[in-house]
Short mmCIF file of all heavy atoms in Angstrom, two decimals:
data_model
loop_
_atom_site.label_atom_id
_atom_site.label_comp_id
_atom_site.label_asym_id
_atom_site.label_seq_id
_atom_site.Cartn_x
_atom_site.Cartn_y
_atom_site.Cartn_z
N MET A 1 24.22 3.30 2.39
CA MET A 1 24.40 3.02 0.99
C MET A 1 23.63 4.03 0.14
O MET A 1 22.46 4.26 0.37
CB MET A 1 23.94 1.62 0.66
CG MET A 1 25.06 0.62 0.58
SD MET A 1 24.43 -1.00 0.04
CE MET A 1 24.33 -1.77 1.64
N ASN A 2 24.27 4.53 -0.88
CA ASN A 2 23.55 5.47 -1.77
C ASN A 2 22.87 4.73 -2.90
O ASN A 2 23.53 3.97 -3.62
CB ASN A 2 24.51 6.48 -2.37
CG ASN A 2 24.89 7.51 -1.32
OD1 ASN A 2 24.10 7.83 -0.46
ND2 ASN A 2 26.10 8.03 -1.43
N GLU A 3 21.62 4.89 -3.00
CA GLU A 3 20.90 4.33 -4.15
C GLU A 3 20.53 5.51 -5.05
O GLU A 3 19.62 6.20 -4.78
CB GLU A 3 19.61 3.65 -3.68
CG GLU A 3 19.87 2.45 -2.79
CD GLU A 3 18.60 1.95 -2.19
OE1 GLU A 3 17.49 2.42 -2.58
OE2 GLU A 3 18.67 1.08 -1.33
N GLU A 4 21.28 5.66 -6.08
CA GLU A 4 21.07 6.81 -6.94
C GLU A 4 20.02 6.47 -7.98
O GLU A 4 20.35 6.23 -9.15
CB GLU A 4 22.36 7.27 -7.56
CG GLU A 4 23.30 7.83 -6.47
CD GLU A 4 24.64 8.16 -7.03
OE1 GLU A 4 24.81 8.23 -8.25
OE2 GLU A 4 25.54 8.40 -6.19
N LEU A 5 18.78 6.44 -7.58
CA LEU A 5 17.70 6.09 -8.51
C LEU A 5 17.18 7.37 -9.16
O LEU A 5 16.90 8.36 -8.51
CB LEU A 5 16.54 5.45 -7.69
CG LEU A 5 16.88 4.12 -7.09
CD1 LEU A 5 15.67 3.62 -6.34
CD2 LEU A 5 17.28 3.11 -8.16
N LYS A 6 17.03 7.25 -10.45
CA LYS A 6 16.42 8.34 -11.18
C LYS A 6 14.88 8.32 -10.98
O LYS A 6 14.36 7.29 -10.53
CB LYS A 6 16.71 8.20 -12.70
CG LYS A 6 18.21 8.23 -12.90
CD LYS A 6 18.55 8.78 -14.26
CE LYS A 6 20.06 9.08 -14.26
NZ LYS A 6 20.52 9.52 -15.54
N PRO A 7 14.24 9.44 -11.23
CA PRO A 7 12.79 9.44 -11.08
C PRO A 7 12.10 8.45 -11.99
O PRO A 7 12.64 8.04 -13.00
CB PRO A 7 12.39 10.86 -11.49
CG PRO A 7 13.62 11.70 -11.42
CD PRO A 7 14.77 10.72 -11.66
N CYS A 8 10.93 8.05 -11.59
CA CYS A 8 10.12 7.09 -12.33
C CYS A 8 9.93 7.49 -13.80
O CYS A 8 9.58 8.66 -14.08
CB CYS A 8 8.75 6.99 -11.65
SG CYS A 8 7.57 5.97 -12.53
N PRO A 9 10.17 6.58 -14.77
CA PRO A 9 9.97 6.90 -16.15
C PRO A 9 8.51 7.11 -16.53
O PRO A 9 8.21 7.67 -17.60
CB PRO A 9 10.56 5.70 -16.92
CG PRO A 9 10.68 4.60 -15.92
CD PRO A 9 10.72 5.24 -14.56
N PHE A 10 7.60 6.63 -15.73
CA PHE A 10 6.16 6.82 -16.03
C PHE A 10 5.67 8.17 -15.57
O PHE A 10 4.99 8.88 -16.29
CB PHE A 10 5.35 5.75 -15.29
CG PHE A 10 5.66 4.37 -15.72
CD1 PHE A 10 6.11 3.44 -14.80
CD2 PHE A 10 5.48 3.94 -17.02
CE1 PHE A 10 6.40 2.12 -15.18
CE2 PHE A 10 5.74 2.68 -17.42
CZ PHE A 10 6.23 1.75 -16.47
N CYS A 11 5.99 8.54 -14.32
CA CYS A 11 5.28 9.71 -13.76
C CYS A 11 6.30 10.73 -13.18
O CYS A 11 5.91 11.79 -12.74
CB CYS A 11 4.34 9.25 -12.66
SG CYS A 11 5.17 8.66 -11.18
N GLY A 12 7.61 10.41 -13.18
CA GLY A 12 8.57 11.31 -12.62
C GLY A 12 8.60 11.30 -11.09
O GLY A 12 9.29 12.10 -10.47
N GLY A 13 7.89 10.38 -10.49
CA GLY A 13 7.85 10.26 -9.01
C GLY A 13 9.06 9.59 -8.43
O GLY A 13 9.98 9.15 -9.14
N LYS A 14 9.08 9.53 -7.11
CA LYS A 14 10.19 8.94 -6.38
C LYS A 14 10.04 7.41 -6.37
O LYS A 14 8.99 6.89 -6.16
CB LYS A 14 10.24 9.46 -4.96
CG LYS A 14 11.42 9.05 -4.20
CD LYS A 14 11.31 9.60 -2.76
CE LYS A 14 12.39 9.00 -1.87
NZ LYS A 14 12.28 7.55 -1.70
N ALA A 15 11.14 6.72 -6.69
CA ALA A 15 11.12 5.29 -6.68
C ALA A 15 11.93 4.72 -5.55
O ALA A 15 12.89 5.34 -5.06
CB ALA A 15 11.72 4.80 -8.05
N SER A 16 11.55 3.53 -5.08
CA SER A 16 12.27 2.86 -3.99
C SER A 16 12.74 1.49 -4.40
O SER A 16 12.07 0.78 -5.15
CB SER A 16 11.32 2.68 -2.80
OG SER A 16 10.87 3.93 -2.38
N MET A 17 13.89 1.11 -3.82
CA MET A 17 14.39 -0.24 -4.01
C MET A 17 13.74 -1.18 -3.03
O MET A 17 13.62 -0.90 -1.85
CB MET A 17 15.93 -0.23 -3.77
CG MET A 17 16.56 -1.57 -3.84
SD MET A 17 16.55 -2.29 -5.49
CE MET A 17 17.81 -1.28 -6.31
N ASN A 18 13.28 -2.29 -3.58
CA ASN A 18 12.73 -3.37 -2.74
C ASN A 18 13.57 -4.60 -2.95
O ASN A 18 14.03 -4.82 -4.05
CB ASN A 18 11.29 -3.70 -3.13
CG ASN A 18 10.37 -2.54 -2.83
OD1 ASN A 18 9.79 -2.46 -1.78
ND2 ASN A 18 10.28 -1.61 -3.78
N TYR A 19 13.80 -5.33 -1.93
CA TYR A 19 14.61 -6.57 -2.09
C TYR A 19 14.15 -7.66 -1.17
O TYR A 19 13.49 -7.42 -0.16
CB TYR A 19 16.11 -6.25 -1.94
CG TYR A 19 16.48 -5.75 -0.61
CD1 TYR A 19 16.92 -6.62 0.38
CD2 TYR A 19 16.41 -4.38 -0.33
CE1 TYR A 19 17.29 -6.14 1.63
CE2 TYR A 19 16.78 -3.91 0.91
CZ TYR A 19 17.20 -4.76 1.87
OH TYR A 19 17.57 -4.29 3.08
N GLU A 20 14.50 -8.84 -1.58
CA GLU A 20 14.05 -10.02 -0.89
C GLU A 20 15.17 -11.03 -0.88
O GLU A 20 15.86 -11.16 -1.87
CB GLU A 20 12.87 -10.58 -1.68
CG GLU A 20 11.87 -11.35 -0.89
CD GLU A 20 10.76 -11.79 -1.78
OE1 GLU A 20 10.22 -10.96 -2.56
OE2 GLU A 20 10.43 -12.96 -1.76
N ARG A 21 15.32 -11.72 0.20
CA ARG A 21 16.29 -12.79 0.26
C ARG A 21 15.59 -14.07 -0.14
O ARG A 21 14.53 -14.41 0.39
CB ARG A 21 16.84 -12.89 1.70
CG ARG A 21 17.87 -13.94 1.89
CD ARG A 21 18.25 -14.03 3.35
NE ARG A 21 19.69 -14.04 3.42
CZ ARG A 21 20.37 -13.25 4.20
NH1 ARG A 21 19.79 -12.39 5.05
NH2 ARG A 21 21.69 -13.32 4.24
N ILE A 22 16.18 -14.77 -1.08
CA ILE A 22 15.62 -16.02 -1.55
C ILE A 22 16.33 -17.19 -0.88
O ILE A 22 17.56 -17.27 -0.90
CB ILE A 22 15.78 -16.15 -3.10
CG1 ILE A 22 15.33 -14.89 -3.82
CG2 ILE A 22 15.07 -17.40 -3.61
CD1 ILE A 22 13.85 -14.62 -3.80
N GLN A 23 15.56 -18.06 -0.30
CA GLN A 23 16.10 -19.24 0.36
C GLN A 23 16.05 -20.48 -0.52
O GLN A 23 15.39 -20.47 -1.50
CB GLN A 23 15.28 -19.54 1.65
CG GLN A 23 15.10 -18.34 2.57
CD GLN A 23 16.30 -17.99 3.37
OE1 GLN A 23 17.33 -18.65 3.30
NE2 GLN A 23 16.22 -16.93 4.16
N GLY A 24 16.75 -21.47 -0.10
CA GLY A 24 16.60 -22.77 -0.74
C GLY A 24 17.41 -22.93 -2.01
O GLY A 24 18.50 -22.35 -2.17
N GLU A 25 16.87 -23.67 -2.93
CA GLU A 25 17.59 -24.07 -4.16
C GLU A 25 18.11 -22.89 -4.93
O GLU A 25 19.19 -22.88 -5.49
CB GLU A 25 16.63 -24.90 -5.01
CG GLU A 25 17.33 -25.73 -6.06
CD GLU A 25 16.31 -26.45 -6.92
OE1 GLU A 25 15.17 -26.64 -6.47
OE2 GLU A 25 16.68 -26.80 -8.06
N HIS A 26 17.27 -21.82 -5.02
CA HIS A 26 17.65 -20.66 -5.85
C HIS A 26 18.15 -19.52 -4.95
O HIS A 26 17.82 -18.36 -5.16
CB HIS A 26 16.47 -20.21 -6.70
CG HIS A 26 16.03 -21.26 -7.63
ND1 HIS A 26 16.75 -21.67 -8.72
CD2 HIS A 26 14.93 -22.04 -7.61
CE1 HIS A 26 16.11 -22.63 -9.36
NE2 HIS A 26 14.99 -22.91 -8.69
N LYS A 27 18.87 -19.90 -3.94
CA LYS A 27 19.37 -19.00 -2.93
C LYS A 27 19.99 -17.76 -3.51
O LYS A 27 20.80 -17.89 -4.45
CB LYS A 27 20.34 -19.75 -2.05
CG LYS A 27 20.68 -19.10 -0.76
CD LYS A 27 21.25 -20.13 0.16
CE LYS A 27 22.74 -20.06 0.09
NZ LYS A 27 23.51 -19.87 1.20
N GLY A 28 19.69 -16.61 -3.05
CA GLY A 28 20.30 -15.35 -3.52
C GLY A 28 19.41 -14.17 -3.12
O GLY A 28 18.72 -14.26 -2.11
N PHE A 29 19.52 -13.18 -3.93
CA PHE A 29 18.76 -11.95 -3.62
C PHE A 29 18.00 -11.46 -4.86
O PHE A 29 18.53 -11.51 -5.99
CB PHE A 29 19.73 -10.85 -3.15
CG PHE A 29 20.33 -11.17 -1.82
CD1 PHE A 29 21.44 -12.01 -1.75
CD2 PHE A 29 19.78 -10.67 -0.65
CE1 PHE A 29 22.01 -12.32 -0.52
CE2 PHE A 29 20.33 -11.00 0.56
CZ PHE A 29 21.46 -11.80 0.64
N TRP A 30 16.81 -10.96 -4.57
CA TRP A 30 15.95 -10.45 -5.62
C TRP A 30 15.79 -8.94 -5.35
O TRP A 30 15.42 -8.55 -4.25
CB TRP A 30 14.63 -11.18 -5.54
CG TRP A 30 13.57 -10.62 -6.48
CD1 TRP A 30 12.54 -9.80 -6.12
CD2 TRP A 30 13.45 -10.88 -7.87
NE1 TRP A 30 11.80 -9.55 -7.24
CE2 TRP A 30 12.33 -10.17 -8.31
CE3 TRP A 30 14.21 -11.60 -8.79
CZ2 TRP A 30 11.92 -10.20 -9.67
CZ3 TRP A 30 13.81 -11.64 -10.12
CH2 TRP A 30 12.66 -10.94 -10.55
N ALA A 31 16.08 -8.15 -6.37
CA ALA A 31 15.92 -6.68 -6.20
C ALA A 31 14.91 -6.17 -7.26
O ALA A 31 14.96 -6.63 -8.39
CB ALA A 31 17.27 -5.98 -6.41
N GLN A 32 14.07 -5.29 -6.85
CA GLN A 32 13.10 -4.72 -7.74
C GLN A 32 12.85 -3.24 -7.32
O GLN A 32 12.72 -2.99 -6.13
CB GLN A 32 11.81 -5.51 -7.77
CG GLN A 32 10.87 -5.04 -8.86
CD GLN A 32 9.65 -5.94 -8.97
OE1 GLN A 32 9.11 -6.38 -7.97
NE2 GLN A 32 9.23 -6.21 -10.22
N ILE A 33 12.72 -2.38 -8.28
CA ILE A 33 12.46 -0.96 -7.99
C ILE A 33 10.99 -0.68 -8.27
O ILE A 33 10.47 -1.04 -9.31
CB ILE A 33 13.37 -0.06 -8.82
CG1 ILE A 33 14.81 -0.33 -8.41
CG2 ILE A 33 12.98 1.38 -8.62
CD1 ILE A 33 15.84 0.20 -9.40
N ILE A 34 10.34 -0.05 -7.26
CA ILE A 34 8.90 0.25 -7.40
C ILE A 34 8.71 1.73 -7.15
O ILE A 34 9.22 2.27 -6.15
CB ILE A 34 8.07 -0.61 -6.42
CG1 ILE A 34 8.31 -2.08 -6.72
CG2 ILE A 34 6.58 -0.30 -6.58
CD1 ILE A 34 7.61 -3.08 -5.76
N CYS A 35 7.91 2.36 -7.99
CA CYS A 35 7.60 3.78 -7.83
C CYS A 35 6.65 3.97 -6.68
O CYS A 35 5.62 3.29 -6.58
CB CYS A 35 7.02 4.30 -9.14
SG CYS A 35 6.44 5.99 -8.98
N ASP A 36 6.98 4.90 -5.79
CA ASP A 36 6.12 5.19 -4.63
C ASP A 36 4.78 5.80 -5.04
O ASP A 36 3.81 5.72 -4.35
CB ASP A 36 6.80 6.17 -3.68
CG ASP A 36 8.06 5.56 -3.02
OD1 ASP A 36 8.15 4.35 -3.08
OD2 ASP A 36 8.86 6.35 -2.53
N ASN A 37 4.80 6.45 -6.21
CA ASN A 37 3.62 7.21 -6.63
C ASN A 37 2.67 6.39 -7.49
O ASN A 37 1.48 6.34 -7.21
CB ASN A 37 4.12 8.47 -7.42
CG ASN A 37 3.00 9.40 -7.78
OD1 ASN A 37 2.17 9.72 -6.92
ND2 ASN A 37 2.95 9.77 -9.02
N CYS A 38 3.16 5.78 -8.57
CA CYS A 38 2.26 5.10 -9.49
C CYS A 38 2.40 3.58 -9.51
O CYS A 38 1.72 2.88 -10.22
CB CYS A 38 2.49 5.62 -10.94
SG CYS A 38 4.02 5.03 -11.69
N ASN A 39 3.33 3.05 -8.68
CA ASN A 39 3.56 1.61 -8.58
C ASN A 39 4.16 1.04 -9.85
O ASN A 39 4.15 -0.19 -10.05
CB ASN A 39 2.31 0.84 -8.20
CG ASN A 39 2.02 0.92 -6.73
OD1 ASN A 39 2.95 0.97 -5.91
ND2 ASN A 39 0.75 0.94 -6.36
N GLY A 40 4.69 1.89 -10.72
CA GLY A 40 5.44 1.43 -11.86
C GLY A 40 6.66 0.65 -11.34
O GLY A 40 7.22 1.04 -10.32
N ARG A 41 7.01 -0.44 -11.98
CA ARG A 41 8.13 -1.20 -11.47
C ARG A 41 9.11 -1.72 -12.52
O ARG A 41 8.71 -1.90 -13.66
CB ARG A 41 7.60 -2.38 -10.62
CG ARG A 41 6.65 -3.31 -11.32
CD ARG A 41 6.03 -4.28 -10.36
NE ARG A 41 5.15 -3.60 -9.38
CZ ARG A 41 4.81 -4.11 -8.22
NH1 ARG A 41 5.21 -5.28 -7.85
NH2 ARG A 41 4.01 -3.42 -7.40
N SER A 42 10.31 -1.98 -12.06
CA SER A 42 11.31 -2.53 -12.92
C SER A 42 11.08 -4.03 -13.10
O SER A 42 10.25 -4.62 -12.38
CB SER A 42 12.68 -2.28 -12.30
OG SER A 42 12.75 -2.95 -11.04
N GLY A 43 11.79 -4.63 -14.00
CA GLY A 43 11.63 -6.05 -14.28
C GLY A 43 12.11 -6.95 -13.15
O GLY A 43 11.66 -8.06 -12.99
N GLY A 44 13.01 -6.44 -12.33
CA GLY A 44 13.52 -7.24 -11.23
C GLY A 44 14.79 -8.02 -11.64
O GLY A 44 14.96 -8.39 -12.83
N THR A 45 15.67 -8.16 -10.70
CA THR A 45 16.95 -8.85 -10.97
C THR A 45 17.24 -9.83 -9.85
O THR A 45 17.09 -9.48 -8.65
CB THR A 45 18.11 -7.84 -10.98
OG1 THR A 45 17.89 -6.92 -12.04
CG2 THR A 45 19.44 -8.51 -11.22
N TRP A 46 17.64 -11.04 -10.21
CA TRP A 46 18.12 -11.99 -9.22
C TRP A 46 19.64 -12.04 -9.36
O TRP A 46 20.17 -12.03 -10.46
CB TRP A 46 17.51 -13.37 -9.47
CG TRP A 46 18.05 -14.38 -8.51
CD1 TRP A 46 17.47 -14.70 -7.30
CD2 TRP A 46 19.27 -15.11 -8.60
NE1 TRP A 46 18.25 -15.63 -6.66
CE2 TRP A 46 19.36 -15.89 -7.42
CE3 TRP A 46 20.26 -15.21 -9.55
CZ2 TRP A 46 20.44 -16.77 -7.17
CZ3 TRP A 46 21.36 -16.03 -9.32
CH2 TRP A 46 21.41 -16.83 -8.12
N ALA A 47 20.30 -12.14 -8.20
CA ALA A 47 21.75 -12.35 -8.20
C ALA A 47 22.15 -13.05 -6.94
O ALA A 47 21.37 -13.13 -5.96
CB ALA A 47 22.48 -11.03 -8.32
N GLY A 48 23.39 -13.53 -6.92
CA GLY A 48 23.90 -14.27 -5.79
C GLY A 48 24.13 -13.43 -4.58
O GLY A 48 24.17 -13.97 -3.44
N SER A 49 24.27 -12.14 -4.72
CA SER A 49 24.49 -11.25 -3.58
C SER A 49 23.60 -10.03 -3.68
O SER A 49 23.18 -9.66 -4.78
CB SER A 49 25.96 -10.79 -3.49
OG SER A 49 26.21 -9.82 -4.45
N TYR A 50 23.28 -9.49 -2.55
CA TYR A 50 22.41 -8.31 -2.50
C TYR A 50 23.04 -7.15 -3.30
O TYR A 50 22.31 -6.52 -4.12
CB TYR A 50 22.21 -7.87 -1.03
CG TYR A 50 21.57 -6.54 -0.93
CD1 TYR A 50 20.25 -6.29 -1.39
CD2 TYR A 50 22.27 -5.49 -0.37
CE1 TYR A 50 19.69 -5.05 -1.31
CE2 TYR A 50 21.69 -4.21 -0.26
CZ TYR A 50 20.42 -4.00 -0.74
OH TYR A 50 19.84 -2.76 -0.64
N ASN A 51 24.30 -6.91 -3.14
CA ASN A 51 24.92 -5.81 -3.82
C ASN A 51 24.90 -5.99 -5.34
O ASN A 51 24.63 -5.00 -6.05
CB ASN A 51 26.39 -5.66 -3.39
CG ASN A 51 26.49 -4.86 -2.07
OD1 ASN A 51 25.61 -4.10 -1.73
ND2 ASN A 51 27.51 -5.13 -1.29
N ALA A 52 25.11 -7.20 -5.81
CA ALA A 52 25.09 -7.44 -7.22
C ALA A 52 23.66 -7.24 -7.81
O ALA A 52 23.49 -6.59 -8.86
CB ALA A 52 25.57 -8.84 -7.55
N ALA A 53 22.66 -7.74 -7.10
CA ALA A 53 21.28 -7.60 -7.55
C ALA A 53 20.91 -6.13 -7.61
O ALA A 53 20.30 -5.64 -8.57
CB ALA A 53 20.33 -8.36 -6.64
N LYS A 54 21.27 -5.42 -6.56
CA LYS A 54 20.92 -4.02 -6.46
C LYS A 54 21.64 -3.21 -7.57
O LYS A 54 20.96 -2.36 -8.22
CB LYS A 54 21.36 -3.48 -5.09
CG LYS A 54 21.06 -2.05 -4.86
CD LYS A 54 21.51 -1.66 -3.49
CE LYS A 54 22.06 -0.25 -3.54
NZ LYS A 54 22.51 0.23 -2.23
N ARG A 55 22.86 -3.45 -7.78
CA ARG A 55 23.64 -2.71 -8.79
C ARG A 55 23.03 -2.89 -10.15
O ARG A 55 22.83 -1.93 -10.91
CB ARG A 55 25.11 -3.12 -8.78
CG ARG A 55 26.02 -2.20 -9.58
CD ARG A 55 27.49 -2.51 -9.34
NE ARG A 55 27.81 -3.85 -9.60
CZ ARG A 55 28.24 -4.75 -8.70
NH1 ARG A 55 28.48 -4.34 -7.45
NH2 ARG A 55 28.54 -5.98 -9.00
N LYS A 56 22.74 -4.14 -10.50
CA LYS A 56 22.17 -4.41 -11.84
C LYS A 56 20.82 -3.75 -12.00
O LYS A 56 20.50 -3.24 -13.05
CB LYS A 56 21.99 -5.92 -12.01
CG LYS A 56 23.28 -6.63 -12.30
CD LYS A 56 22.95 -8.11 -12.57
CE LYS A 56 24.18 -8.97 -12.46
NZ LYS A 56 23.82 -10.41 -12.44
N GLU A 57 20.04 -3.79 -10.93
CA GLU A 57 18.68 -3.27 -11.01
C GLU A 57 18.69 -1.75 -11.12
O GLU A 57 17.92 -1.19 -11.88
CB GLU A 57 17.90 -3.75 -9.79
CG GLU A 57 16.41 -3.65 -9.94
CD GLU A 57 15.86 -4.36 -11.14
OE1 GLU A 57 16.57 -5.21 -11.77
OE2 GLU A 57 14.72 -4.10 -11.52
N VAL A 58 19.56 -1.11 -10.35
CA VAL A 58 19.69 0.34 -10.44
C VAL A 58 20.11 0.76 -11.85
O VAL A 58 19.57 1.70 -12.42
CB VAL A 58 20.65 0.91 -9.39
CG1 VAL A 58 21.00 2.35 -9.65
CG2 VAL A 58 20.07 0.74 -8.01
N GLU A 59 21.05 0.04 -12.43
CA GLU A 59 21.51 0.34 -13.79
C GLU A 59 20.38 0.23 -14.76
O GLU A 59 20.21 1.10 -15.62
CB GLU A 59 22.65 -0.58 -14.18
CG GLU A 59 23.99 -0.16 -13.66
CD GLU A 59 25.08 -1.18 -13.93
OE1 GLU A 59 24.85 -2.12 -14.75
OE2 GLU A 59 26.15 -1.07 -13.30
N ALA A 60 19.63 -0.84 -14.69
CA ALA A 60 18.53 -1.08 -15.61
C ALA A 60 17.44 0.02 -15.45
O ALA A 60 16.94 0.54 -16.47
CB ALA A 60 17.88 -2.43 -15.39
N TRP A 61 17.15 0.35 -14.25
CA TRP A 61 16.11 1.39 -13.97
C TRP A 61 16.57 2.73 -14.51
O TRP A 61 15.80 3.44 -15.21
CB TRP A 61 15.87 1.49 -12.48
CG TRP A 61 14.93 2.60 -12.10
CD1 TRP A 61 15.25 3.83 -11.67
CD2 TRP A 61 13.51 2.49 -11.99
NE1 TRP A 61 14.14 4.54 -11.37
CE2 TRP A 61 13.05 3.76 -11.58
CE3 TRP A 61 12.59 1.51 -12.30
CZ2 TRP A 61 11.69 4.03 -11.41
CZ3 TRP A 61 11.24 1.78 -12.15
CH2 TRP A 61 10.82 3.02 -11.70
N ASN A 62 17.81 3.09 -14.25
CA ASN A 62 18.30 4.41 -14.67
C ASN A 62 18.41 4.46 -16.21
O ASN A 62 18.16 5.55 -16.79
CB ASN A 62 19.64 4.73 -14.03
CG ASN A 62 19.46 5.06 -12.57
OD1 ASN A 62 18.34 5.34 -12.12
ND2 ASN A 62 20.55 5.03 -11.82
N ARG A 63 18.70 3.37 -16.82
CA ARG A 63 18.73 3.33 -18.29
C ARG A 63 17.33 3.54 -18.90
O ARG A 63 17.17 4.33 -19.81
CB ARG A 63 19.30 1.95 -18.77
CG ARG A 63 19.73 1.94 -20.19
CD ARG A 63 20.69 0.79 -20.44
NE ARG A 63 20.18 -0.45 -19.99
CZ ARG A 63 20.78 -1.28 -19.13
NH1 ARG A 63 21.98 -0.97 -18.65
NH2 ARG A 63 20.26 -2.41 -18.80
N ARG A 64 16.34 2.93 -18.28
CA ARG A 64 14.96 3.14 -18.74
C ARG A 64 14.51 4.60 -18.49
O ARG A 64 13.82 5.18 -19.31
CB ARG A 64 14.01 2.23 -18.01
CG ARG A 64 14.11 0.83 -18.51
CD ARG A 64 13.29 -0.11 -17.61
NE ARG A 64 13.45 -1.47 -18.01
CZ ARG A 64 13.62 -2.49 -17.17
NH1 ARG A 64 13.57 -2.26 -15.88
NH2 ARG A 64 13.78 -3.71 -17.61
N ALA A 65 14.95 5.12 -17.35
CA ALA A 65 14.59 6.52 -17.05
C ALA A 65 15.17 7.46 -18.11
O ALA A 65 14.51 8.37 -18.56
CB ALA A 65 15.07 6.90 -15.65
N ASN A 66 16.35 7.15 -18.55
CA ASN A 66 17.00 7.94 -19.56
C ASN A 66 16.28 7.80 -20.94
O ASN A 66 16.15 8.76 -21.68
CB ASN A 66 18.48 7.53 -19.78
CG ASN A 66 19.34 8.07 -18.63
OD1 ASN A 66 19.01 9.04 -17.99
ND2 ASN A 66 20.43 7.36 -18.38
N ASP A 67 15.86 6.61 -21.25
CA ASP A 67 15.15 6.36 -22.47
C ASP A 67 13.73 6.95 -22.45
O ASP A 67 13.08 7.11 -23.48
CB ASP A 67 15.01 4.88 -22.77
CG ASP A 67 16.36 4.26 -23.08
OD1 ASP A 67 17.30 5.01 -23.35
OD2 ASP A 67 16.44 3.01 -23.09
N GLY A 68 13.24 7.20 -21.28
CA GLY A 68 11.87 7.71 -21.11
C GLY A 68 10.82 6.65 -21.37
O GLY A 68 9.67 6.94 -21.63
N LYS A 69 11.20 5.37 -21.25
CA LYS A 69 10.23 4.30 -21.42
C LYS A 69 10.64 3.12 -20.58
O LYS A 69 11.78 2.98 -20.18
CB LYS A 69 10.09 3.94 -22.89
CG LYS A 69 11.38 3.36 -23.45
CD LYS A 69 11.19 3.05 -24.91
CE LYS A 69 12.49 2.49 -25.45
NZ LYS A 69 12.80 2.99 -26.77
N ILE A 70 9.69 2.25 -20.39
CA ILE A 70 9.93 1.03 -19.60
C ILE A 70 9.16 -0.12 -20.25
O ILE A 70 8.08 0.13 -20.77
CB ILE A 70 9.53 1.29 -18.14
CG1 ILE A 70 10.14 0.28 -17.19
CG2 ILE A 70 8.02 1.43 -17.95
CD1 ILE A 70 10.16 0.78 -15.76
N ASN A 71 9.70 -1.27 -20.25
CA ASN A 71 9.00 -2.38 -20.88
C ASN A 71 8.57 -3.42 -19.85
O ASN A 71 9.38 -3.84 -19.10
CB ASN A 71 9.88 -3.06 -21.93
CG ASN A 71 10.08 -2.15 -23.11
OD1 ASN A 71 9.14 -1.53 -23.58
ND2 ASN A 71 11.32 -2.06 -23.56
ZN1 ZN B 101 5.75 6.48 -11.14
#
C-alpha cells in the first residue's frame, strides 16, 4: 500500500502512519501520523475500517503540510 505522506509540517522530516485496532464497543481502527524526527503528530482519525481511517488521516496530514501549519 502506498502511503503518500508529505513531509512533517513542523520540521520537514519523514512521517509514519501508526494505527491501532480498537476492540469492544467502539470497535474500529484508529490512525495517526507521527513524525519520525520531531514526534509532531496529526490529530488522529477513528473509522470503521483501516482503509477509511488511513485515507482520512493522510488527507488531513497532507492538507496541514500544504498549509505549513498544524493545530
Ligand atoms: Zn517533524
